[in-house]
Amino acid sequence: LLTPGSITDGGWNALAWQGMQRIEKELDAEISHQETKTPAEMTEGFRAFGKQGFDLAFGHGFEYQEPAKTAGAQYPDTIFVTTSGSTIARNVAPMRFQIEEATYVLGVIAARESKTGKAGLVGGINVPSIASSFLAFKAGALSVNPKFEVKEVYTGNFDDLGAAKLATLSLINAGADFIFHQANEAGRGVFQACSERKIRCFGANADQSSLAPDVIVASAVVDVPSAYVETAKIVKEGRFKPEIQHFGMKEGTVKVVWNEKLKSAVSPQTLAEVERVSNDIRSGVVKPPAGF
């Protein structure tokens, strides 16, 4: 496993490591992990796994596509899987988590429950997978109120908690009373700002309500570990095909998880709409936009 940040981030990268631990236990596999920041580090990390004879190497994010393609050409006996993107080769393919389906619903919640008519989005690095989740959040909010305002800020990295906190405070000062982040480790800075200012917010990728139980209303959750195990089984059984694997609400991989402590403060009308919209997404009646 290669990750762009710490596997102790309580979200995106932690989920990948949980998946690896399940693969180790359930499939009796040898596992290894490396944190990589630059494209060169990503490529060298993949090459190292190929050289060591690993059967499967995950690159956890959109940014691993080119490194996977490069290393894949050099090490044809290793399967390289990126957890986002669209790059495909003989031994390279992406898993695509349709988190947009959940962030669309978070946008609905924000627009229904907001008192200011404004929400804020805090991103780490502006990659298509994150921008796409923000696009869906906006679409969900606008489906409720066409005049609802959603502003976004990118800090340029996934590690700087202080920068994420400042970005969040700027959005709150501009009137946002709901905040959603896609900042990985730096998301903790978002929660710090929201806790200090008593502004409601949302968790990303994992159920993060325990990180700020007084302000996190709900989380857009992706069952990354189960998808990792399923992919590893496919590779182990020789069933790998170079094609995009889709995981969304219909498959039960993506969902919105409420913070039970705060759910009672949400209006019954909003709860009912969330249930209706979620069912419509699962059935295909509603299709949240995706930016890539």
Side-chain angles (χ1 to χ4, degrees):
L1 170 68
L2 300 181
T3 62
S6 171
I7 54 175
T8 63
D9 65 358
W12 178 242
N13 296 305
L15 289 169
W17 183 239
Q18 289 170 24
M20 294 294 284
Q21 290 176 306
R22 281 186 53 186
I23 289 171
E24 179 182 40
K25 182 179 180 180
E26 296 176 28
L27 302 182
D28 192 28
E30 176 186 342
I31 63 172
S32 180
H33 167 255
Q34 183 180 338
E35 188 176 322
T36 51
K37 299 291 188 182
T38 67
E41 288 179 351
M42 295 172 188
T43 302
E44 285 308 308
F46 272 145
R47 283 173 173 157
F49 288 150
K51 187 176 182 180
Q52 293 171 57
F54 280 94
D55 300 291
L56 170 62
F58 291 101
H60 199 53
F62 186 93
E63 57 268 50
Y64 287 94
Q65 293 180 89
E66 282 304 312
K69 187 177 179 180
T70 299
Q74 294 177 292
Y75 295 95
D77 294 332
T78 298
I79 303 298
F80 296 87
V81 173
T82 59
T83 49
S84 190
S86 56
T87 299
I88 295 172
R90 188 190 66 81
N91 58 332
V92 177
M95 294 190 292
R96 186 176 291 179
F97 299 111
Q98 308 298 135
I99 194 173
E100 295 89 352
E101 296 176 349
T103 62
Y104 181 95
V105 176
L106 296 187
V108 169
I109 297 170
R112 280 288 178 200
E113 295 292 304
S114 172
K115 293 179 173 62
T116 64
K118 298 179 181 180
L121 306 172
V122 178
I125 298 173
N126 189 348
V127 295
S129 52
I130 290 178
S132 184
S133 70
F134 285 174
L135 177 69
F137 183 101
K138 292 177 184 178
L142 294 176
S143 74
V144 172
N145 177 5
K147 295 183 179 180
F148 194 82
E149 295 183 30
V150 181
K151 296 182 179 181
E152 61 185 54
V153 178
Y154 287 93
T155 64
N157 67 80
F158 294 119
D159 306 308
D160 193 335
L161 276 67
K165 183 176 180 179
L166 286 174
T168 304
L169 290 172
S170 73
L171 291 167
I172 294 171
N173 290 337
D177 63 354
F178 271 93
I179 305 291
F180 173 61
H181 85 90
Q182 281 278 44
N184 295 356
E185 179 74 19
R188 296 177 190 271
V190 175
F191 299 147
Q192 288 172 9
C194 289
S195 295
E196 290 175 9
R197 297 289 292 272
K198 294 181 172 55
I199 293 296
R200 289 175 290 181
C201 55
F202 298 112
N205 301 304
D207 178 2
Q208 297 188 306
S209 57
S210 64
L211 299 180
D214 294 330
V215 291
I216 297 176
V217 177
S219 299
V221 174
V222 182
D223 187 1
V224 173
S226 292
Y228 264 55
V229 172
E230 178 61 26
T231 300
K233 285 180 180 177
I234 288 172
V235 171
K236 184 176 183 179
E237 295 167 6
R239 296 186 287 114
F240 172 81
K241 294 180 181 179
E243 60 188 16
I244 298 174
Q245 291 186 78
H246 291 276
F247 296 95
M249 278 190 169
K250 183 179 180 181
E251 292 77 20
T253 308
V254 173
K255 57 186 175 181
V256 171
V257 176
W258 292 100
N259 175 1
E260 291 300 327
K261 180 178 179 180
L262 300 183
K263 186 178 180 180
S264 61
V266 177
S267 74
Q269 292 84 357
T270 299
L271 295 175
E273 182 158 3
V274 165
E275 186 66 24
R276 178 186 63 79
V277 172
S278 298
N279 287 334
D280 284 347
I281 291 172
R282 282 188 283 268
S283 67
V285 172
V286 171
K287 295 183 180 181
F292 70 104

